Amino acid sequence: GGGGDHRAGGVSHDGDHASDSLQEGVELWFSDEVEFHLLPHITRMWMPKGRQFRVPSPGKNQKIPVFGAVQYGTGLFVYHIQDKKNSWGFLALLTKLYERARRRGTKILLVADNASIHEASCVERFLSQPEVREHLSVYLLPTYCPDLNLIERLWGHVKRTGFANELFPSRTAFRAHVIRTMQQLRHKPSSVLGVVQKNQMTCSGAMATMGIV
């Protein structure tokens, strides 16, 4: 992502908004995008000795981008699915989070990587609105720091357990499985929490290092 001072737009770098301790009424969320592929996700698996398991491949791949966010400490999950991975998808996710915070009278501090779509003009215009800034701000991580973004653990777990070594019978079945998987995550925050905070002490230490909590 690009550099520069984005405090007016609600996007912060290197702790502009994250230097203070998390206060009552402030929710900490982690956000990232993932692409699920019709081309099977290949992982290690058990198989009879001397036999090689074969996974068929589709003639043409298909990608389904998902924009997601998970709340630290609760495992609550919010998502948005669309056909392309772009800034409008991230904006749709931000809108859902803003509406949640506005209804609850809270403020969300959202941690995300510094991908260019997170700093697009449409995103910064949205975050610069006074009513939005009251309930939502975005903290952009330094480059190449996926270990500091808790939702990365969730995406990896979902790919390993829900999409590995399997070719779906049709593109329709593939899309339906993606949607069903996201709905299950939304309805099982305790399971999500168990995945993203397996090593909570390490996560807490990392966030303390970043000055978030």
Side-chain angles (χ1 to χ4, degrees), residues 25-74:
V26 178
E27 299 176 356
L28 179 62
W29 290 69
F30 290 81
S31 171
D32 191 30
E33 303 79 40
V34 67
E35 287 182 328
F36 294 101
H37 294 241
L38 180 61
L39 186 69
H41 178 69
I42 305 299
T43 63
R44 292 179 297 177
M45 61 181 296
W46 291 104
M47 63 189 71
K49 186 176 180 179
R51 295 181 58 185
Q52 180 71 42
F53 183 79
R54 295 182 178 274
V55 180
S57 176
K60 184 179 180 181
N61 192 26
Q62 178 186 1
K63 301 177 184 179
I64 298 181
V66 177
F67 301 76
V70 63
Q71 185 182 10
Y72 179 76
T74 70

Side-chain angles (χ1 to χ4, degrees), residues 2 15 42 45-46 53 58 63 73 76 86 94 102 114 116 123 136 143 145 165 171 184 188 190-191 194 199 201 209:
I42 305 299
M45 61 181 296
W46 291 104
F53 183 79
K63 301 177 184 179
L76 290 176
N86 56 32
L94 291 179
R102 184 180 60 82
N114 64 353
S116 59
V123 171
L136 176 66
T143 305
C145 293
N165 306 321
R171 297 176 185 276
Q184 290 172 348
K188 295 181 178 179
S190 60
S191 297
N199 193 348
M201 291 299 293
T209 301

Side-chain angles (χ1 to χ4, degrees), residues 34-197:
V34 67
E35 287 182 328
F36 294 101
H37 294 241
L38 180 61
L39 186 69
H41 178 69
I42 305 299
T43 63
R44 292 179 297 177
M45 61 181 296
W46 291 104
M47 63 189 71
K49 186 176 180 179
R51 295 181 58 185
Q52 180 71 42
F53 183 79
R54 295 182 178 274
V55 180
S57 176
K60 184 179 180 181
N61 192 26
Q62 178 186 1
K63 301 177 184 179
I64 298 181
V66 177
F67 301 76
V70 63
Q71 185 182 10
Y72 179 76
T74 70
L76 290 176
F77 178 73
V78 174
Y79 69 94
H80 171 71
I81 300 175
Q82 65 177 41
D83 292 333
K84 291 185 178 182
K85 182 178 174 180
N86 56 32
S87 57
W88 296 106
F90 183 58
L91 181 59
L93 180 69
L94 291 179
T95 302
K96 290 184 178 182
L97 293 171
Y98 162 68
E99 291 294 341
R100 169 190 162 81
R102 184 180 60 82
R103 289 194 306 269
R104 294 170 56 86
T106 59
K107 181 167 184 176
I108 289 177
L109 173 59
L110 183 68
V111 178
D113 63 33
N114 64 353
S116 59
I117 63 173
H118 299 159
E119 302 181 83
S121 57
C122 64
V123 171
E124 295 199 341
R125 282 196 302 270
F126 175 74
L127 292 172
S128 67
Q129 299 177 61
E131 62 273 21
V132 174
R133 294 181 65 180
E134 183 179 350
H135 294 287
L136 176 66
S137 61
V138 176
Y139 172 80
L140 298 182
L141 291 168
T143 305
Y144 306 123
C145 293
D147 291 344
L148 298 183
N149 195 340
L150 296 191
I151 199 172
E152 294 278 6
R153 300 181 180 190
L154 182 62
W155 293 145
H157 174 79
V158 169
K159 285 187 173 182
R160 288 190 302 272
T161 60
F163 292 84
N165 306 321
E166 180 177 359
L167 176 62
F168 294 92
S170 67
R171 297 176 185 276
T172 300
F174 169 55
R175 185 175 186 85
H177 183 71
V178 172
I179 294 172
R180 184 166 56 251
T181 300
M182 295 304 107
Q183 291 173 339
Q184 290 172 348
L185 293 176
R186 186 165 63 88
H187 289 111
K188 295 181 178 179
S190 60
S191 297
V192 172
L193 187 63
V195 172
V196 301
Q197 291 185 209

